[in-house]
Amino acid sequence: MGWFSRRTRADEGIPTKLDREATRDDLTALADFVAAHRGVEFYLEPETTATDTTVVAIAHDGEWIRRRTGSPRTAAKLAHRHAVPLYEAAKTGYPERMRAWNRAHPERRLR
């Protein structure tokens, strides 16, 4: 195959995943965040070639965490179990309170 071939690695059956799969610890972290914060909403992020399906959990004050869930179905089950609304981030975007929290906590971006 040449350098500029239009065939992709996926066409050849070679996995393109660069990141790890979701684990029980990821789901536990989301559940713990819901238990420790009020007004939490989940924002579903679709799987990409680099990352598994993820959920961003955003609290009433804008504090947030992002964890892998493995599939949209798993995210929906977790949201239902904890009575948390689940939105598709690609359709709704993220709430302004998350951006405001990020501006107020620049140290978080240094990780």
Side-chain angles (χ1 to χ4, degrees), residues 46-61:
E47 178 179 358
T48 67
T49 56
T51 306
D52 205 359
T53 301
T54 55
V55 163
V56 177
I58 306 173
H60 79 285
D61 61 354

Side-chain angles (χ1 to χ4, degrees), residues 28-56:
T28 300
L30 289 167
D32 291 348
F33 188 84
V34 170
H37 297 81
R38 65 182 173 87
V40 175
E41 298 173 332
F42 283 174
Y43 289 82
L44 182 70
E45 299 175 322
E47 178 179 358
T48 67
T49 56
T51 306
D52 205 359
T53 301
T54 55
V55 163
V56 177

Side-chain angles (χ1 to χ4, degrees), residues 6-104:
R6 289 183 177 215
R7 290 184 62 189
T8 65
R9 295 178 73 90
D11 293 337
E12 298 170 5
I14 298 171
T16 57
K17 286 229 173 231
L18 302 176
D19 205 10
R20 68 172 174 81
E21 296 291 322
T23 65
R24 184 176 306 269
D25 291 341
D26 293 320
L27 301 179
T28 300
L30 289 167
D32 291 348
F33 188 84
V34 170
H37 297 81
R38 65 182 173 87
V40 175
E41 298 173 332
F42 283 174
Y43 289 82
L44 182 70
E45 299 175 322
E47 178 179 358
T48 67
T49 56
T51 306
D52 205 359
T53 301
T54 55
V55 163
V56 177
I58 306 173
H60 79 285
D61 61 354
E63 184 177 354
W64 61 276
I65 63 166
R66 175 182 285 119
R67 296 293 184 271
R68 294 160 187 82
T69 59
S71 73
R73 177 176 283 170
T74 302
K77 286 179 183 178
L78 187 65
H80 181 73
R81 184 177 310 127
H82 295 286
V84 173
L86 176 65
Y87 304 104
E88 289 184 52
K91 291 183 180 178
T92 63
Y94 300 101
E96 176 57 35
R97 68 182 185 274
M98 178 183 174
R99 290 185 284 282
W101 192 89
N102 285 340
R103 285 190 297 272

